[in-house]
Structure formats: C-alpha cells, structure tokens
Amino acid sequence: MSTDQLKKEISAIKGTHDILPGEVRLWQIAESRAREIFELYGYRELRAPVIEPTELFEKGTGASSDIVTKEMYTFTDKGGRSITLRPEYTPSVVRAIIEHRLDLQPQPLRYYYIGPMFRYDRPQKGRYRQFHQIDIEVFGEKDPAVDAEIVEMAHRLLARLGVERVMTLVNSVGCKKCRPAYGQELRKAALAVKDRLCPDCQRKAEVNPLRIFDCKNEACREAASGFPLITDFLCPECREHFQKFREYLDLYRLEYRVEPTLVRGLDYYTRTAFEIVAEHLGAQSAICGGGRYDDMVKEFGGPDLCGIGFAMGVERLLSVARIQIPETSFVYFAYLGQEAKKECLRLARALRSEGIESLVEFKDRRMKDHFSRANKLGAEWVLIVGEDELRKGKFQLKDMVNSRQFEGSVLELAAIIKGKKILETT
RNA sequence: GUGAGUGUAGCUCAAGGGUUAGAGCACCGGACUGUGGAUCCGGUGGUUGGGGGUUCGAAUCCCCUCACUCACCCCA
C-alpha cells in the first residue's frame, strides 16, 4: 500500500488521539504526581480490564443514563458475549471488590487508577471518544471526613499541577429515603409552569426536571427560581452528613460553593456530590466530578458497603495545568573516523551504566556538523573522540551550556556530569 | 444526535475563476579540514481534507462526505 493510500484510508478513529513524545512528558509528570499524592494518603492502585460485560454498566452506571443508552462502545465477541469498553471506572471497581471479596480486608478500602475510558459522543474541546481519567474510590467509610479527604486530595493534586482559578461546587443529592419526595415536588413545580418553559425544558420537566436548572434561557431561569431545592428536603441523617462534610472542608480551609442544583449525571449518586470546574475550559469546564454511591455495591448483590469517589479528566486537566518540564540532559558523541566511532559505542555503554543518557549517531560527520547536530538535539554535553583522544585514552567533554571543556577518562567525565546533576538537584 | 463556523506543505499563513498553487519556519543536503546556536546557496515535501457537479478553465462557485472548532446535549 502506498503512503497516499495509507494517508487516505487509515487515520486515527474520530475522537481519539496519538499522544506524541513531545506531549507525553506532560502526561507522565501528571500521572506520577497523581500516584505520588494518592499514595501519601494511603491509596493503592487497582487495575481493572478495559473491557467488561455490558451488564456491568447497565446495572452500575444506570440503564436510563445517557452513557448507557447512547454512548457505549459495545460489541459481541466470538463467544457471543456482549462486551463493552468501559465508559467509566466505578462499576469495574465494584465488580472487583465483590469478585475478590476485597470487603474482607481492613476497611476503608482506598483505591486509585489512571487509564482510558470510552464514550461514543460528539467530540469537541475537552470531550473525546477515548479519554483518560484519574480515578479515586473509597469503600466502607461512612464518615463525611472521607468525603472531604478526597476533595482535599483533588485540590492538592491540582495545586501540584499548577492548576489555578478553580471553583469547587458541592451539594447533597439525598438518599433513597429523602430524594424521591424531592423529585416529586420538583416535577410538580416544573409541570405547573410548563407552558412558560422552552421546548427543551418541557421535555426535561417530564424526564429529568433537575436539568431545567441548567437552562440558559431567561424565561426558564425565572421559572426555575421558584422551584424547590434538594437542600430543603434532606432527611436529618443526610442533612447532618452534608453539614459535617462542609465542616471538614472548612477545616482544610477549602473554598467551595454550595450549589443546590448540582446533580451528577450518573444515576447512582447519594448524598455528597461535588464538581471542580476550571475557568477557560469552555463548555466542558468540569475537570473533576464525584460523589457518594452508598447503595451500589449492595445493588450488585455484594455486601452493604458504602462508597465514594471522583474522576478527573486528564485531557481537561492538562489543558489548564502549568507543568514545568525539566530539561533532559544527555551526552552527544562527536567522533571522527571509524575507530573513534567504535570507541564511542563502548563509551556510551559505560556512561549508560552510570545512569547517563548517551546518544551516538551512526553517521560520520565533520566536527562542526557534530556540534551543530548536538546543538539542534539539545545536548547538554558533547563528548569528543578523535585521533588524539584515542591515542591518549582521555576524552574531551564540552559543556554546551557554559562552553567549558574538560579532559579525562570516562569515569572522570562521568563524575563531572553526575556532579553537575547533583549540584542542580540540591 | 442537532445547529453554526473552518479545512491550502510537518507548522504558521498567502494566492478569491485564468499558465506549472507560493512564502517563512522546520527537515535533508552543500558552502565551512577537530568545536554549536549565525549567514548564504540548494533540495525533498501538496492530486488545495475526500468525492461529485457547474465551467473552455476550479484551491476559488454549488452539492455530498469526512475531520476539526464552537454551541446545544452530555460529562471527566
């Protein structure tokens, strides 16, 4: 096949992206900082498969949710099983807990994971078909202190990644006891003013009246301003949980706004719901969203184990992160002649054993071209091997940043390179 | 899934019906005998996103399609 045909016929699937070496550094830094921070709080990584039985999400994410009804990558495998590329991570963790009886381990269970998720959605900025989430889940801890813990942890990560101008929105969506009453009242209120709503909201009034709060239409906003709020319907237990959650947030000195109209899109949330939004992210402004799901494990036939978690969108996160990429330092080998080339191949091996990145290019060049090349590639050091050096067994090492030059054996030069590294990092 | 906008070289952009679609940067090579960033010269690279139509003639006008962007929707 010609490259023309390749270009025409084979390209990355819509909504998916290659992450090229230039950008992948940012990903690695974000991922390693996330791991570092989560481990500081006692969270451990749990890796679940990318593919799961379709029923897992139908049951967990919710059969009526948008994600399940129109956004899943579902296919039948050769064994006739219905398989789905996970659109979110929480159901997988719940499955793993039940399957491996992880609830028998000391609780609370604290897990994290970083990986790709898949949703068949119309791509736009901050929304892709394969996207990546940093995911946190805690099981078996009812204390709202843990609700605040994960919010605080999210903020620590954001700060560590240089994310500024964020707003934390919190709410309680109640529980099985108090939420239904609120839902009825809200629907009643919405239907009462139905004729004043836009066509879209008239539909929402039937299906999901909570969504009317989000409408940008002026008439709808006005009509919605008189709607009842969940915060006025919470049962005493939920009210207390929400109250304490906020007290812990205050203890951490975290700024937040109570947003009584905040609903998470997934059906399973109970009590705490929160979202962290960033400015300058356009319509897809939520970089982190999460909440409590106290009934999910039980509904899967597992133990009565409460849960809470959040997901961060890595692509969104990186688009607002300000990460300084540390300069890479490596040695470029400038040689003259075939004998010198062979010597360089040996020397490079020795330097790599010392933990020093070394690059020997195989094309014979003039000295000037070697330097030009080293400069272009961003080498911090150039190690020169010519006839003189071969004879003496001592080599020239040039510091490309400060234009200083040293002479010595491999180990002496290695010490100079490492010495500078140590100086820089201390 | 709906609406709007944009698609010209790897990147940033010219050419707005009329020869063979250009420039800068990048890349490769040359000038430069064992010391870089500069300069000068040259080269590779495009069926103008793809397909169809109108026309003597289309990058340019029309239709379809695909991708991207924005908004809706949804959510991370």
Side-chain angles (χ1 to χ4, degrees), chain A residues 117-322:
Chain A
M117 306 292 155
F118 304 84
R119 290 181 201 173
Y120 191 88
D121 205 343
R122 181 86 170 252
Q124 61 183 67
K125 192 166 193 95
R127 191 169 78 184
Y128 311 105
R129 290 186 173 178
Q130 177 179 336
F131 61 103
H132 299 77
Q133 287 190 333
I134 295 174
D135 198 274
I136 283 290
E137 313 286 348
V138 184
F139 293 88
E141 182 56 78
K142 282 182 288 194
D143 195 318
V146 80
D147 304 36
E149 174 180 281
I150 66 170
V151 175
E152 196 263 335
M153 198 163 67
H155 275 91
R156 185 183 292 267
L157 177 58
L158 294 179
R160 187 80 178 80
L161 297 177
V163 178
E164 287 165 355
R165 298 177 159 276
V166 295
M167 175 53 108
T168 305
L169 310 173
V170 303
N171 191 24
S172 174
V173 296
C175 63
K176 273 192 289 199
K177 273 191 290 177
C178 51
R179 192 168 20 175
Y182 171 65
Q184 280 177 11
E185 287 302 313
L186 182 61
R187 179 157 308 174
K188 208 183 292 175
L191 292 175
V193 295
K194 195 175 171 184
D195 46 323
R196 283 163 51 197
L197 300 172
C198 70
D200 209 27
C201 284
Q202 295 192 2
R203 185 179 55 81
K204 290 179 193 168
E206 306 279 1
V207 186
N208 192 352
L210 275 165
R211 289 265 164 229
I212 298 172
F213 286 118
D214 303 332
C215 189
K216 291 170 179 72
N217 187 304
E218 195 54 45
C220 297
R221 297 183 86 115
E222 208 170 298
S225 66
F227 288 0
L229 296 174
I230 179 73
T231 30
D232 298 323
F233 282 78
L234 295 177
C235 64
E237 293 79 16
C238 287
R239 187 181 303 274
E240 192 196 342
H241 187 95
F242 191 39
Q243 172 67 30
K244 286 196 168 156
F245 168 51
R246 283 149 57 195
E247 281 171 18
Y248 285 116
L249 290 178
D250 294 337
L251 181 139
Y252 290 128
R253 298 182 187 284
L254 290 172
E255 280 183 42
Y256 61 87
R257 194 170 75 211
V258 176
E259 190 70 56
T261 62
L262 174 72
V263 266
R264 307 256 66 248
L266 306 172
D267 296 351
Y268 51 66
Y269 284 108
T270 55
R271 294 191 170 169
T272 306
F274 70 93
E275 202 165 274
I276 301 175
V277 297
E279 287 179 25
H280 312 306
L281 247 180
Q284 313 298 326
S285 63
I287 51 177
C288 177
R292 206 163 247 287
Y293 43 91
D294 288 344
D295 305 319
M296 197 194 312
V297 180
K298 200 175 176 184
E299 278 166 13
F300 268 105
D304 189 1
L305 194 64
C306 63
I308 182 167
F310 70 69
M312 274 194 194
V314 181
E315 285 83 356
R316 291 181 189 179
L317 190 59
L318 290 178
S319 72
V320 292
R322 296 170 60 89

